[in-house]
Amino acid sequence: MNILLIGSGGREHALAWKLSQSARLTKLFVAPGNGGTSLVAENVAVDPTDHAGVVAFAQRERIDLVVIGPDAPVVAGLADDVRAAGIACFGPSKAAAQLEGSKGFTKALCDEMQIPTATYRRFDAEAPALAYVRRHGVPIVIKYDGLALGKGVTVATTLAAAEHAVRDCFAGAFGASGAAVVIEDLLEGEEASFFVLCDGETILPLATAQDHKRAFDGDMGPNTGGMGAYSPAPVMTDDLVARTLREIIAPTVRGMAARGTPYQGVLYAGLMLTRDGPKLIEYNARFGDPETQVLMLRLQSDLLELLEATATGKLAGHAAAWSPDVALTIVMAAKGYPGPYERGTEIGALPDDTPHRVTFHAGTVRDGETLRANGGRVLNITALAPSVAEAKAHAEAAIAQIAWPDGFWRHDIGWRAISRERNARLDR
Ligand code: AMP
């Protein structure tokens, strides 16, 4: 099979790395790719926002399956245009991607299907939103109702911060001005991510993970796209996985099919594990970044088979096999990220990959023999080991070999799971 993978992050390097291991793969292209995808595939200068250009390339190269990595092309409806040209596509339609693209849409579906989530109100004007915030009091969560690169959410503990967030949303701080806000009650508990494949009807559970959104150690500093992750998430017991499937995922898939917009692709549920059980915080209509990096290191099945079955409505009968070990990834980012940072800084030689440790590239570019940083999140050092603590140590040993003075990373990825492991040992 010939495959065209859309995207250029660490998630896409991880997907390309895994797809390249499939016996059924003939040729893999990545558009536009990065300095890591070029090691396992051919990078092509096709602009993902130019849907006609993507389709023309796919027709010319006899692509059998287009796989969409990031959220922007999914929400822009690239899958619809690829499918309209008669080419199979892994990625939801524009209508189904509203699960990620519009928080108001997802909240309305939760109401309709009685899916557990935070109580909310949606406002499309500032004055009633401010009045609601003042009536409700804090803590309260203010969300811009649209794609905001993970930056459109404010968990406000003071009224001033809540009012400020509402005004920012309507002033266009996170996206188009004049948009709407969703205002929610605060949920308390531990967060976890859960990934499933869905072909419109059949659901194939993948795995659980936990990520680290804040830039600095101790979960301090600004929110980022994600500074590290590990899988599985020990907090997600079998019972919680079963409840999540029954109470959250299955009704979502039923509700989307009933609306005539079946969900086809990977569905990524951000969950809060509250005292009353799992509640949906948000959906993403694509794989997580950096969660995909840990999922791919653990996945033992053929990714190509799974993505093709999802895209063609034939998931029934498929299963995914996973390493019982823990995978953990540490993101090396350019100093300054998520604020302004320098591009083009030189990265020294990377340690060789092994079956248990892979360096996935995010924002890198090759400049002759030299590897250079070309983005905020740059490298994802990913390791597989029997425990979270060992996987972390393994990843850190690789980082110690990388000479990149312009980078930084968190030293505490996996701290919740590692303290659980320590407590479990003490209990024995
Ligand atoms: P979202 O973009 O909706 O996933 O929100 C980003 C982050 O904000 C989540 O990962 C949570 O840490 C936090 N968050 C969002 N909604 C809530 C809520 N209702 N209660 C507590 N924390 C929340």
Side-chain angles (χ1 to χ4, degrees), residues 173-257:
F174 305 115
S177 57
V181 290
V182 167
I183 303 185
E184 289 187 359
D185 289 359
L186 182 84
L187 295 173
E188 287 181 88
E190 194 168 329
E191 283 183 58
S193 305
F194 183 51
F195 296 84
V196 304
L197 294 178
C198 180
D199 67 1
E201 202 182 314
T202 300
I203 298 164
L204 175 66
L206 290 179
T208 61
Q210 279 180 298
D211 71 353
H212 298 69
K213 285 271 173 236
R214 300 297 190 103
F216 308 131
D217 287 7
D219 289 331
M220 305 295 276
N223 263 324
T224 70
M227 295 299 290
Y230 52 94
S231 171
V235 64
M236 277 292 275
T237 58
D238 290 349
D239 176 53
L240 285 174
V241 167
R243 277 189 74 175
T244 303
L245 279 168
R246 195 172 60 239
E247 297 171 13
I248 298 178
I249 307 288
T252 299
V253 170
R254 270 202 313 275
M256 293 302 285

Side-chain angles (χ1 to χ4, degrees), residues 103 118 141 143 153 155 184-187 191 272 281-282:
K103 294 185 190 295
V141 183
K143 300 185 173 187
V153 176
V155 178
E184 289 187 359
D185 289 359
L186 182 84
L187 295 173
E191 283 183 58
M272 187 71 85
I281 300 177
E282 64 156 356

